């Protein structure tokens, strides 16, 4: 009879999603000589993965100390702001978010830009998929805006930000999300100035959405047109 430890789902044997080796993430990192990973422990392996990593860290004064950090790995994602510059409209969503609800949001119904996890797709393919599912929009030209780590103290996710023009003719489906995945999404077409007002008064409180709306106002399709320098008037 074997006296060894029982096989660990997600580590030694496949878990409910067919994954193994979940404890290997980060063990081979060597890009920063001031960080040496010592151990990685999988503490939760639900749909996403929570790990506790022990590493040695070299401080600015040259001394070393051992630290532990927990990281939540839900994969990377993509988000898009569809805009109609001629009509000054943007397409957003509204859906229930329990984590916001349990952390003092009045009703948990957040207004957001359409977004989703990559789920094995490249970011551009993922955002086209999410736009069709959530907004009912078939995107044409899509512009990369930037990438950002949204909660780098604990969440590994890197989010790819996009913007894309649309017209009423591009709304080819009902949107609303995938009911089989528990999604129940309202599609909101908002005046851009109203969307900015909603950021100011707190009706829009989702970070990725605030970032895209501010980009659209400062550098994007709704950026104020700077007046040209007035021609010099000849002296008389």
């Amino acid at each position: 009879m074997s006296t060894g430890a029982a096989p660990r789902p997600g580590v030694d044997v496949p878990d409910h999603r067919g994954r193994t080796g979940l404890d290997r993430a980060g063990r081979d990192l060597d890009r920063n000589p001031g960080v040496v990973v010592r151990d990685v422990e999988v503490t939760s392996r639900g749909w996403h993965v929570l790990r506790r990593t022990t590493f040695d860290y070299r401080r600015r004064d040259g001394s070393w100390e051992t630290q532990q950090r927990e990281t939540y790995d839900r994969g990377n994602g993509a988000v898009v702001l569809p805009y109609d510059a001629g009509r000054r409209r943007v397409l957003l969503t509204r859906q229930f978010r329990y984590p916001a609800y349990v952390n003092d949001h009045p009703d948990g119904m957040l207004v957001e830009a359409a977004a989703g996890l990559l789920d094995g797709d490249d970011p551009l393919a993922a955002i086209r998929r999410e736009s069709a599912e959530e907004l009912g929009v078939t995107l044409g030209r899509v512009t990369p805006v930037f990438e950002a780590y949204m909660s780098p103290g604990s969440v590994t996710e890197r989010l790819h930000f996009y913007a894309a023009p649309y017209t009423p003719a591009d709304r080819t489906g009902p949107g609303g999300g995938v009911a089989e995945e528990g999604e129940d999404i309202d599609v909101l077409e908002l005046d851009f100035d109203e969307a900015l007002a909603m950021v100011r008064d707190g009706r829009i409180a989702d970070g990725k959405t605030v970032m895209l709306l501010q980009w659209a106002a400062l550098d994007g399709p709704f950026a104020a047109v700077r007046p040209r320098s007035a021609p010099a008037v000849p002296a008389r």
Side-chain angles (χ1 to χ4, degrees):
M1 180 181 296
S2 173
T3 59
R8 297 166 295 175
V11 176
D12 309 305
V13 297
D15 65 2
H16 65 290
R17 295 184 63 186
R19 301 171 297 189
T20 57
L22 295 179
D23 64 329
R24 303 304 304 171
R27 289 183 181 269
D28 59 351
L29 288 175
D30 60 4
R31 297 188 300 271
N32 185 340
V35 177
V36 179
V37 175
R38 297 298 183 189
D39 187 47
V40 181
E41 176 189 1
V42 178
T43 59
S44 177
R45 46 188 176 271
W47 191 253
H48 306 306
V49 182
L50 184 67
R51 299 178 177 90
R52 181 183 298 116
T53 299
T54 303
F55 59 91
D56 296 336
Y57 174 74
R58 183 169 58 199
R59 299 179 61 85
R60 289 178 296 162
D61 62 7
S63 64
W64 287 83
E65 68 181 15
T66 299
Q67 298 185 1
Q68 281 190 334
R69 293 291 185 272
E70 290 188 345
T71 57
Y72 186 56
D73 184 355
R74 62 192 302 270
N76 295 328
V79 57
V80 67
L81 179 69
Y83 63 87
D84 184 332
R87 298 188 301 131
R88 292 188 65 82
R89 297 286 190 272
V90 291
L91 281 180
L92 300 175
T93 69
R94 180 170 52 211
Q95 59 184 306
F96 179 69
R97 296 297 201 183
Y98 179 75
Y101 185 48
V102 78
N103 193 25
D104 292 336
H105 189 275
D107 59 6
M109 302 298 295
L110 261 62
V111 176
E112 306 177 34
L117 297 178
L118 303 188
D119 287 334
D121 288 335
D122 67 75
L124 187 55
I127 207 55
R128 292 187 184 281
R129 179 195 70 220
E130 294 298 326
S131 294
E133 292 178 355
E134 296 191 3
L135 299 170
V137 169
T138 301
L139 295 179
R141 175 173 57 87
V142 177
T143 301
V145 177
F146 44 69
E147 298 177 9
Y149 294 93
M150 299 301 293
S151 187
S154 58
V155 181
T156 61
E157 180 184 24
R158 183 173 72 251
L159 196 57
H160 302 262
F161 288 74
Y162 293 96
Y166 81 96
T167 68
D170 297 321
R171 301 186 68 176
T172 55
V178 181
E180 292 77 12
E181 297 178 3
E183 294 180 333
D184 182 29
I185 298 172
D186 289 333
V187 180
L188 306 179
E189 184 174 56
L190 298 177
D191 176 84
F192 180 69
D193 295 314
E194 174 66 11
L196 285 181
M198 293 171 72
V199 171
R200 298 187 189 99
D201 65 23
R203 286 176 290 163
I204 293 179
D206 171 67
K208 62 183 181 294
T209 309
V210 172
M211 293 167 69
L212 275 174
L213 291 172
Q214 294 287 1
W215 166 83
L218 294 173
D219 297 312
F222 302 104
V225 177
R226 294 178 176 85
R228 296 179 179 178
S229 299
V233 178
R236 292 184 179 180

